[in-house]
Amino acid sequence: DAFESPLTGPLGTMIEDRGRIFATPRRDWKQSVTAALGGASIETLRAENKSVALATISLDETGGILRAIGEAPDALGYSGVILGTMGGGHLPARLGDLVSTLTARMPVVSAGRIQNGYLLRKTYEVAGAEMDLETKGVISAGRLPPVKARVLLTVLIRSGSSAEAIRNAFEAWN
């Protein structure tokens, strides 16, 4: 999947009330990520031993891994979490409290398991949907799939990026 470019076919798409153009020379994400990294060297990024968990969420997810990370004094060694969410960026409502616990401790990012396309931002208000997750402090990965979102979050955490800089870096992918 690392070498696929599924978004290069169509010129764009409509998601909710916003046109998303794929084929533009804009590189908002590049400026945003560069600013968040703050000039951190590759040596700094390699030396920081901080990891990001990747939890693929399904309808029958019990939340055991999320609970363990949230309750462990050392967060099981994790400094952030990527939630591989369903559909347009959803998870079962019963996981809401676990997600709130995690966002109080570390950056938590929602990335669509579908591997292609944008997450929703303002379509569903029900518990576990994208609007609910935003109120809990979950960051949207936009069009980044979970593995790529994990790479970005790992680099941002290792560079010492602030919570605001992390949120801004991901916002550029929306």
Side-chain angles (χ1 to χ4, degrees):
D1 290 342
F3 299 102
E4 276 189 20
S5 296
L7 297 179
T8 59
L11 177 62
T13 189
M14 288 294 293
I15 302 292
E16 296 170 329
D17 63 344
R18 185 172 166 199
R20 311 287 179 124
I21 305 299
F22 303 141
T24 66
R26 287 185 23 224
R27 299 286 187 257
D28 295 344
W29 62 268
K30 187 173 181 181
Q31 287 86 16
S32 190
V33 170
T34 300
L37 292 176
S41 69
I42 195 72
E43 291 79 20
T44 299
L45 299 177
R46 285 183 181 147
E48 285 294 325
N49 190 18
K50 295 183 178 179
S51 187
V52 172
L54 175 56
T56 301
I57 306 299
S58 59
L59 277 176
D60 62 348
E61 175 62 51
T62 65
I65 293 170
L66 302 179
R67 184 176 293 104
I69 294 169
E71 292 176 355
D74 67 347
L76 301 181
Y78 293 112
S79 300
V81 176
I82 301 294
L83 301 171
T85 52
M86 303 177 293
H90 308 139
L91 50 78
R94 67 181 168 279
L95 302 180
D97 289 342
L98 297 175
V99 169
S100 292
T101 299
L102 289 171
T103 59
R105 293 185 74 180
M106 63 186 64
V108 176
V109 176
S110 171
R113 300 185 328 203
I114 56 175
Q115 303 290 319
N116 189 352
Y118 287 89
L119 292 181
L120 299 175
R121 299 292 299 268
K122 56 183 179 173
T123 298
Y124 299 103
E125 296 182 63
V126 299
E130 75 280 356
M131 292 173 73
D132 178 50
L133 295 180
E134 184 176 351
T135 65
K136 292 178 181 347
V138 175
I139 300 165
S140 171
R143 63 185 169 101
L144 291 178
V147 174
K148 290 181 181 180
R150 183 181 182 271
V151 170
L152 178 56
L153 184 56
T154 300
V155 169
L156 293 169
I157 288 171
R158 288 183 178 190
S159 73
S161 296
S162 69
E164 180 182 0
I166 290 171
R167 185 170 289 282
N168 289 342
F170 278 100
E171 185 61 33
W173 292 94
N174 278 294

